[in-house]
Amino acid sequence: MSRGRKYGCPVNIKNWTIEILDPNGTNEYVRINGLSSMSKSIGGDTEDGSAESASWAEPYITKRNGAISLEGKPVVYATTGEVDIGQSILDEFAEKTGCDADATIKMSDPYGHTMIADYIVESREEGADGSGSTLSYELAMVGEPEYPPYVHVSTVSFKDGELAVTTLSLAVGAAPKLISIVFNPEDASNKRFRIGNSNKRVATVANITENSFSVVPVSAGSTTITLTTVNGEKTAQLAVTITGA
């Protein structure tokens, strides 16, 4: 997000999370994948309420309202051939458009600050560029946005299946071991993290997702994998021992 730009401007949402409330009674938010940019039209005031200030105050999205535009490429999962469920839900509203297309959208910036608001889906457009088909949604806010309290990370830990772990032993040639990441509290606002590995010649870290990673044995020896949260710099360590085949 570029600071100091007070009016509608494109935003790279690579590290943002855009979710939509599932209309099927689950009361859960579903992430919309494949989005590449978002533009947001706001009033003349900056986020801290000062029309003269050239920079926005934290959290980034406070006091933004008005219309938004979401653009991106449709995500089709290779294994199932299904379109990303978040885009499918948004398409349901877009088919209606107008007042019948009241969609609840949750937007979280890279730091976990969140805004929830109801939007009318005004249009959905399909297009194409050199790399394939594209989608564009135009939405207008109705009512006032909600800003959920910011929940800080207090601790982070690891699990192997259902068991909490601080150590791991694997043999050379063994299959990668999936390790789950457990945030406390579970509803922490910012679950971003970075992973360090003290000896990549012994084991590597692969298949990193939002809540897990895999440890891949390489050669006999030991290494320590350290996860550090972006929020609060809380750490968890996994002492890994790799034995000979």
Side-chain angles (χ1 to χ4, degrees):
M1 165 62 69
S2 298
R3 297 191 183 194
R5 300 179 68 177
K6 297 187 289 185
Y7 299 97
C9 58
V11 176
N12 184 323
I13 59 172
K14 178 180 179 181
N15 293 320
W16 285 58
T17 301
I18 309 297
E19 298 172 276
I20 184 169
L21 187 64
D22 188 345
N24 298 314
T26 65
N27 201 33
E28 295 180 353
Y29 284 90
V30 178
R31 185 165 183 170
I32 304 172
N33 295 301
L35 299 175
S36 58
S37 67
M38 171 177 67
S39 61
K40 194 163 179 61
S41 298
I42 61 176
D45 290 346
T46 53
E47 291 188 357
D48 60 3
S50 170
E52 298 179 357
S53 174
S55 63
W56 286 330
E58 295 280 7
Y60 285 174
I61 59 176
T62 300
K63 294 186 180 178
R64 293 186 192 177
N65 50 43
I68 64 171
S69 172
L70 302 176
E71 298 178 1
K73 297 183 181 299
V75 172
V76 179
Y77 297 106
T79 54
T80 63
E82 295 180 352
V83 176
D84 169 63
I85 186 173
Q87 291 174 330
S88 297
I89 291 174
L90 194 52
D91 280 350
E92 290 181 24
F93 291 109
E95 287 177 2
K96 303 173 185 177
T97 67
C99 293
D100 290 334
D102 188 2
T104 301
I105 303 289
K106 179 165 72 172
M107 294 181 287
S108 302
D109 71 11
Y111 304 93
H113 303 110
T114 298
M115 181 183 80
I116 299 174
D118 290 331
Y119 286 89
I120 292 174
V121 185
E122 296 187 317
S123 67
R124 172 190 183 276
E125 292 185 10
E126 295 186 31
D129 57 23
S131 59
S133 60
T134 61
L135 285 175
S136 177
Y137 299 96
E138 300 292 336
L139 304 99
M141 183 185 295
V142 291
E144 294 296 323
E146 171 190 351
Y147 301 99
Y150 193 87
V151 180
H152 290 276
V153 176
S154 58
T155 62
V156 64
S157 58
F158 298 130
K159 275 189 174 182
D160 176 3
E162 295 300 318
L163 298 176
V165 291
T166 57
T167 63
L168 177 67
S169 180
L170 295 172
V172 173
K177 172 64 70 172
L178 181 66
I179 300 296
S180 299
I181 304 167
V182 181
F183 288 88
N184 181 35
E186 186 177 344
D187 62 345
S189 298
N190 184 357
K191 294 184 178 181
R192 295 176 65 199
F193 58 85
R194 57 183 181 272
I195 290 182
N197 182 358
S198 65
N199 193 343
K200 296 179 181 179
R201 291 175 294 181
V202 170
T204 60
V205 177
N207 303 319
I208 301 173
T209 70
E210 295 176 345
N211 52 26
S212 67
F213 61 89
S214 294
V215 178
V216 183
V218 177
S219 63
S222 61
T223 185
T224 299
I225 295 170
T226 302
L227 181 146
T228 305
T229 65
V230 171
N231 175 231
E233 295 193 342
K234 307 298 182 180
T235 61
Q237 290 190 324
L238 185 67
V240 179
T241 301
I242 306 299
T243 60

